């Protein structure tokens, strides 16, 4: 199981992206309690995330935070007592919704080792901010909603809306992200950059299933924001899967360290497997972006230094070395020291 596969389990979180809050509050139901429970579970999931090994993954942090914000908006809207409060709750839902597709796309790009310009994240954040300003404009302009009324029925509040001329831009925003996610999933499969096939299959199927969920939400009035619950279920699924994968990777790393070193050059009569040019290119490019400390550790690996020798030379602890290993392996597109040495040997043999 590849160390990056934990993020593939985040794909069910695409459910967050493909619904949005275009109809937040329109689906009247006596389910404010369910929204409240969803908020509490989302908060619990965020707390667990903050104390988990994946807390350093900033885009996963954005995703977990966005889920809490969206659910809080749903609950606040259902409990609102007037139009002003309901509009504020609706804006809060949109705040989370516009950043959900951004965070999920960035997670997918990372786990598939996609190459993208450094300015991309900043550009996407700017676009998300503009979309949020538009979605938050009701009450100030008629561009997004030409008319909106506050309604409270059966103990639940919601907004009756007539869409304005720019409302469709939000759906375009979601569809563009969906297309980008599909591309980000399919491309590495075609290029054979995802090493575990069934993970790639699950990744692709989840995207298309989520499209179906989104379409159902747009054309069928089910009387409840079902995705408020699925958000939390997806988060719990992600956290539990990561725990299992993390334990598996610890065993793999231990086994890899006990493997005999791989020769840099082939011995007489040895036949190497065909070289994956994309993997070699990613490995070579990864070497160029290693920090000085990471490059030093990389060079020590090439010299066949043991873990203890490296720790002694750099005067660092095992946890610190593991931290550097995670960064080095991620940049080089490998999952173990053995694989690093093997690919390095192939790179040298193709020069």
């Amino acid at each position: 199981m590849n160390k990056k596969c934990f993020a593939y389990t985040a794909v069910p979180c695409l459910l967050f992206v493909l619904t949005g809050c275009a109809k937040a509050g329109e689906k009247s139901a006596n389910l404010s309690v369910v929204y409240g429970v969803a908020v509490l579970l989302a908060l619990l999931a965020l707390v667990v995330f903050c104390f988990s090994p994946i807390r350093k993954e900033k885009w996963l942090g954005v995703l977990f935070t966005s889920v809490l914000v969206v659910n809080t908006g749903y609950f606040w809207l259902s409990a609102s007592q007037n139009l002003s409060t309901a509009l504020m709750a609706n804006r809060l839902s949109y705040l989370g919704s516009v950043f959900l597709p951004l965070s999920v796309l960035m997670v997918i790009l990372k786990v598939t080792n996609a190459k993208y310009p450094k300015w991309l994240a900043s550009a996407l954040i700017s676009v998300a901010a503009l979309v949020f300003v538009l979605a938050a404009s009701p009450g100030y302009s008629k561009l997004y909603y030409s008319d909106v009324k506050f309604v409270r029925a059966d103990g639940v509040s919601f907004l009756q809306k007539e869409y304005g001329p720019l409302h469709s831009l939000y759906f375009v925003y979601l569809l563009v992200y969906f297309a980008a996610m599909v591309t980000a999933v399919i491309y590495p499969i075609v290029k054979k950059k995802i090493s575990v096939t069934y993970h790639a299959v699950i990744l692709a199927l989840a995207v298309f299933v989520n499209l179906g969920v989104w379409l159902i939400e747009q054309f069928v009035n089910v009387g409840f924001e079902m995705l408020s619950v699925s958000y939390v279920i997806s988060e719990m699924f992600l956290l539990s899967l990561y725990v299992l994968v993390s334990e598996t990777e610890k065993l793999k790393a231990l086994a890899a360290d006990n493997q005999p070193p791989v020769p840099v050059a082939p011995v007489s009569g040895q036949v190497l497997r065909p070289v994956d040019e994309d993997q070699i290119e990613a490995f070579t490019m990864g070497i160029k972006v290693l920090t000085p400390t990471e490059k030093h550790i990389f060079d020590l690996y090439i010299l066949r230094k043991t873990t203890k020798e490296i720790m002694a030379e750099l005067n660092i602890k095992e946890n610190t070395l593991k931290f550097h290993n995670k960064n080095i392996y991620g940049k080089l597109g490998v999952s173990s020291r053995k694989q690093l040495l093997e690919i390095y040997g192939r790179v040298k043999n193709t020069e």
Side-chain angles (χ1 to χ4, degrees):
M1 187 179 295
N2 193 294
K3 189 169 186 177
K4 296 175 227 172
C5 73
F6 81 89
Y8 297 158
T9 64
V11 176
C13 296
L14 288 173
L15 291 171
F16 308 161
V17 176
L18 300 174
T19 56
C21 54
K23 296 185 179 181
E26 286 184 349
K27 304 170 182 178
S28 177
N30 294 320
L31 293 171
S32 292
V33 174
V34 177
Y35 288 133
V37 172
V39 171
L40 293 176
L41 291 177
L43 177 59
L44 176 61
L46 179 59
V47 171
V48 173
F49 167 80
C50 290
F51 289 94
S52 71
I54 55 175
R55 62 183 179 276
K56 295 179 181 178
E57 302 292 341
K58 63 179 182 179
W59 287 112
L60 283 175
V62 173
L63 189 151
F64 276 72
T65 302
S66 297
V67 172
L68 176 60
V69 171
V70 170
N71 278 311
T72 301
Y74 287 152
F75 174 71
W76 188 13
L77 177 56
S78 70
S80 297
Q81 300 297 318
N82 53 59
L83 177 60
S84 177
T85 303
L87 286 174
M88 288 299 295
N90 197 56
R91 291 169 189 140
L92 186 64
S93 293
Y94 269 110
L95 177 61
S97 293
V98 296
F99 284 99
L100 280 170
L102 169 59
S103 60
V104 176
L105 176 62
M106 297 306 293
V107 168
I108 292 177
L109 291 177
K110 179 172 183 178
V111 301
T112 55
N113 283 327
K115 299 177 182 177
Y116 57 88
K118 294 182 178 179
W119 52 261
L120 179 63
S122 298
L124 293 179
I125 291 174
S126 298
V127 171
L130 291 175
V131 172
F132 170 69
V133 170
L134 174 63
S137 65
Y140 303 106
S141 76
K142 296 183 180 295
L143 293 176
Y144 198 71
Y145 296 151
S146 60
D147 186 43
V148 58
K149 296 178 180 179
F150 175 76
V151 177
R152 187 168 178 81
D154 299 326
V156 175
S157 302
F158 60 95
L159 296 174
Q160 285 186 342
K161 311 163 190 175
E162 292 182 11
Y163 298 138
L166 298 184
H167 182 269
S168 60
L169 290 180
Y170 180 70
F171 292 98
V172 173
Y173 176 78
L174 292 180
L175 289 174
V176 169
Y177 264 106
F178 172 75
M181 291 173 198
V182 171
T183 302
V185 170
I186 293 179
Y187 180 79
I189 295 176
V190 173
K191 292 294 185 177
K192 299 180 180 179
K193 291 185 177 182
I194 297 181
S195 59
V196 184
T197 304
Y198 72 86
H199 287 147
V201 173
I202 293 174
L203 196 60
L205 288 177
V207 173
F208 289 103
V209 168
N210 291 326
L211 175 61
V213 172
W214 178 65
L215 291 174
I216 291 174
E217 284 284 322
Q218 304 313 306
F219 295 105
V220 179
N221 187 353
V222 297
F224 175 62
E225 290 288 352
M226 297 183 298
L227 272 298
S228 63
V229 176
S230 69
Y231 296 163
V232 179
I233 294 175
S234 298
E235 285 183 313
M236 297 301 182
F237 178 72
L238 171 61
L239 288 172
S240 60
L241 258 292
Y242 178 78
V243 171
L244 295 176
V245 172
S246 180
E247 292 302 317
T248 301
E249 289 304 320
K250 288 179 181 178
L251 296 176
K252 285 184 62 178
L254 181 61
D257 284 340
N258 293 328
Q259 292 292 328
V262 178
V264 172
V267 298
S268 178
Q270 181 181 5
V271 178
L272 292 176
R273 290 172 291 177
V275 176
D276 185 329
E277 295 182 0
D278 289 333
Q279 192 174 25
I280 287 181
E281 180 183 359
F283 186 90
T284 304
M285 294 298 295
I287 294 176
K288 297 179 181 179
V289 298
L290 293 176
T291 65
T293 300
E294 292 167 356
K295 184 60 168 59
H296 189 183
I297 294 174
F298 172 82
D299 291 337
L300 293 176
Y301 284 156
I302 301 306
L303 294 174
R304 304 300 194 275
K305 297 290 185 179
T306 65
T307 297
K308 290 183 178 181
E309 289 173 335
I310 295 175
M311 290 167 54
E313 180 163 340
L314 298 180
N315 192 27
I316 58 176
K317 296 181 179 180
E318 185 176 4
N319 286 338
T320 303
L321 180 58
K322 288 181 178 179
F323 172 77
H324 288 306
N325 284 343
K326 177 183 177 182
N327 294 332
I328 294 171
Y329 295 167
K331 292 178 181 179
L332 300 181
V334 300
S335 60
S336 67
R337 188 186 308 185
K338 177 182 178 182
Q339 188 180 18
L340 181 152
L341 292 171
E342 180 181 0
I343 297 179
Y344 177 78
R346 295 182 183 182
V347 169
K348 298 301 292 183
N349 286 314
T350 56
E351 293 179 350

